Amino acid sequence: MDTLGSQFLGIFADIEQSMRLVLGRRQNGRFMDMARDYIQVHNLPLSYLSSLQTFASLRNAIDHNSHRGAYPIAEPIPEIVDEIRRLRDLIKCPPEAVSVLEEMNVCTIQMSESISYALEYVRKYDFSQLPVYNSGQYAGILTTNTISRWLAQQIAGGGEHRDASIREVMDFRELSDRALLVDRKLTAADAINQLAHGSPEGGPVNALIITATGSPTDPPIRVVVIYDLPLLSAALKFD
């Protein structure tokens, strides 16, 4: 008989077994220690850990203290079974950022082109970051902050405004004016983590550029910025 209790236990066992396989943990290891490590490794929300603790306590109550014959006598409510099922799916198959965010026609610009082309993209599409390429290879990201610093220098110099090349304007970048190249399998959780904490080598970033493989010669599929955080966060909710 497929009761709510047996469904709950089966889903919990699926979560536990998946974590053990991914982390290479022994069957007799503590579940919450393993769950804590799994959450940290995969940059998943800490709220998952709190829910897993609650579900583990319920599992113990059903499986160890309230069991007669072949079926558990304690039954979770349907909403709890739905919650743990959604959490199981998010843990085993975390959503990819490209599947969560709306499609984007990414505008790119070449080092040799003039700043007037970039300003037209900013005006027309309201972009604040533009991937820059040089001879088919990613060369950096042009931000409206970089453009503002270049423009301020032009005004301070008192000279007549000229249509500089992107290469010249890129000299006004600061440390934070950079992006990370990531492949299209980037999860929503990893996207949030990288936007919040920067590159693995350290240092802030203001955008993630998703390409097919993360290679600097791949064309960009999507530029992910801080304004995308609400959608990425919403995709990780299960309750």
Side-chain angles (χ1 to χ4, degrees):
M1 182 178 178
D2 188 22
T3 64
L4 289 173
S6 62
Q7 289 180 42
F8 178 91
L9 292 176
I11 296 168
F12 189 95
D14 194 11
I15 293 173
E16 186 171 21
Q17 184 63 20
S18 296
M19 287 182 173
R20 292 195 189 282
L21 287 174
V22 171
L23 296 176
R25 297 294 174 86
R26 301 187 310 274
Q27 291 294 326
N28 60 349
R30 286 172 50 86
F31 172 76
M32 286 310 299
D33 290 342
M34 177 181 63
R36 190 173 293 105
D37 291 343
Y38 191 95
I39 296 298
Q40 183 175 6
V41 168
H42 293 276
N43 297 313
L44 296 174
L46 289 178
S47 60
Y48 287 14
L49 194 61
S50 175
S51 295
L52 287 170
Q53 176 70 73
T54 300
F55 291 147
S57 298
L58 180 57
R59 185 275 308 266
N60 292 339
I62 295 174
D63 197 34
H64 300 310
N65 300 327
S66 304
H67 206 277
R68 287 183 179 175
Y71 305 106
I73 62 172
E75 289 282 294
I77 60 175
E79 289 79 5
I80 292 297
V81 177
D82 289 340
E83 281 189 20
I84 192 174
R85 182 179 290 112
R86 288 194 293 269
L87 180 57
R88 185 270 312 275
D89 294 343
L90 287 169
I91 287 174
K92 294 186 65 175
C93 300
E96 296 176 354
V98 290
S99 70
V100 170
L101 303 174
E102 67 275 11
E103 292 184 5
M104 171 187 286
N105 182 21
V106 181
C107 294
T108 64
I109 196 161
Q110 301 296 317
M111 276 284 202
S112 58
E113 291 182 306
S114 69
I115 187 62
S116 61
Y117 286 104
L119 291 174
E120 180 62 17
Y121 285 140
V122 172
R123 182 196 68 79
K124 188 174 181 180
Y125 300 108
D126 198 28
F127 290 152
S128 57
Q129 295 94 1
L130 290 170
V132 179
Y133 286 77
N134 186 34
S135 300
Q137 182 153 320
Y138 175 73
I141 192 162
L142 178 67
T143 70
T144 50
N145 286 335
T146 298
I147 296 172
S148 296
R149 285 190 290 271
W150 167 79
L151 184 58
Q153 181 64 30
Q154 302 305 303
I155 295 172
E160 186 176 337
H161 169 70
R162 60 189 182 84
D163 196 9
S165 70
I166 297 299
R167 188 183 305 276
E168 292 177 80
V169 178
M170 292 286 277
D171 288 339
F172 289 82
R173 285 178 294 177
E174 292 187 346
L175 180 61
S176 60
D177 295 326
R178 63 185 186 131
L180 288 180
L181 292 174
V182 294
D183 71 58
R184 66 172 299 121
K185 294 182 180 179
L186 177 79
T187 66
D190 284 336
I192 293 171
N193 182 66
Q194 291 185 22
L195 283 174
H197 301 292
S199 66
E201 298 79 21
V205 298
N206 57 11
L208 306 174
I209 300 175
I210 300 178
T211 74
T213 66
S215 167
T217 57
D218 289 341
I221 298 172
R222 183 66 157 78
V223 178
V224 185
V225 296
I226 58 172
Y227 300 107
D228 294 314
L229 287 174
L231 282 175
L232 293 169
S233 298
L236 299 177
K237 293 184 180 299
F238 66 92
D239 52 6

